[in-house]
Amino acid sequence: MKLKLQYLLPLLAVLATGCIGGTNKNNNNVSPIPDGNYTGQFRLLHIHTNSTDTVKTNITLTLSNSAGTYKVTGDTATVHAGSYGNYAGNSATGLITFEDKTYSSSAPFTKTHLAGTYNYVYDGTVFQMKAIGALDTLELQYDLKKVTN
């Protein structure tokens, strides 16, 4: 029996080494919760079977992490609505949620509002968000860059 255990010891050592100190190696990829002023492009993609229609506009997004508030300004005439409200991010999951105080579900939907939950990546300068709509035929993309705190 001792002989068989001696052959298992190196295998157990390798397995134990892989587990020690490796509780969550993905922590290097955690995005901090964004705060400050950002400018860049909003894109709305409508995906068809053989093509994709894209409309885009330049926006400014102001985020106040301490107050949990946001505001969208910039070119808000046709594609994206100017709006404001509350937001909260979760750096562990890479999700950020916006509650738009100007959005009404009973009003006609003519412009995109920054509302709902988005996947995000933020490296301290570049802030990107994406949400995919029903049936994977609609995609909302924000590609923004920090300009000030």
Side-chain angles (χ1 to χ4, degrees):
M1 184 70 170
K2 279 186 178 180
L3 189 59
K4 289 182 183 180
L5 285 176
Q6 287 177 337
Y7 289 108
L8 289 176
L9 284 176
L11 176 63
L12 291 174
V14 170
L15 290 174
T17 304
C19 295
I20 294 172
T23 52
N24 189 353
K25 292 182 180 182
N26 291 333
N27 278 345
N28 294 338
N29 296 329
V30 171
S31 295
I33 298 172
D35 186 40
N37 297 315
Y38 303 82
T39 61
Q41 193 173 77
F42 163 74
R43 290 181 297 277
L44 185 149
L45 286 72
H46 189 212
I47 302 164
H48 306 282
T49 304
N50 297 321
S51 65
T52 300
D53 297 328
T54 304
V55 291
K56 52 190 169 184
T57 192
N58 293 317
I59 64 164
T60 298
L61 177 61
T62 303
L63 300 170
S64 174
N65 204 352
S66 60
T69 59
Y70 77 95
K71 179 171 62 172
V72 177
T73 57
D75 185 2
T76 58
T78 57
V79 178
H80 201 291
S83 60
Y84 63 91
N86 299 316
Y87 85 102
N90 185 329
S91 60
T93 62
L95 297 175
I96 189 165
T97 302
F98 296 90
E99 182 185 316
D100 187 347
K101 293 186 178 189
T102 67
Y103 179 75
S104 169
S105 59
S106 62
F109 187 16
T110 57
K111 297 184 209 175
T112 300
H113 285 252
L114 182 52
T117 301
Y118 295 76
N119 291 310
Y120 82 94
V121 177
Y122 177 54
D123 68 1
T125 303
V126 175
F127 176 39
Q128 297 174 314
M129 297 186 294
K130 183 191 292 189
I132 298 174
L135 305 175
D136 296 337
T137 61
L138 186 65
E139 191 171 302
L140 307 175
Q141 299 176 350
Y142 294 80
D143 192 7
L144 308 170
K145 190 170 186 176
K146 189 166 189 171
V147 289
T148 60
N149 287 335

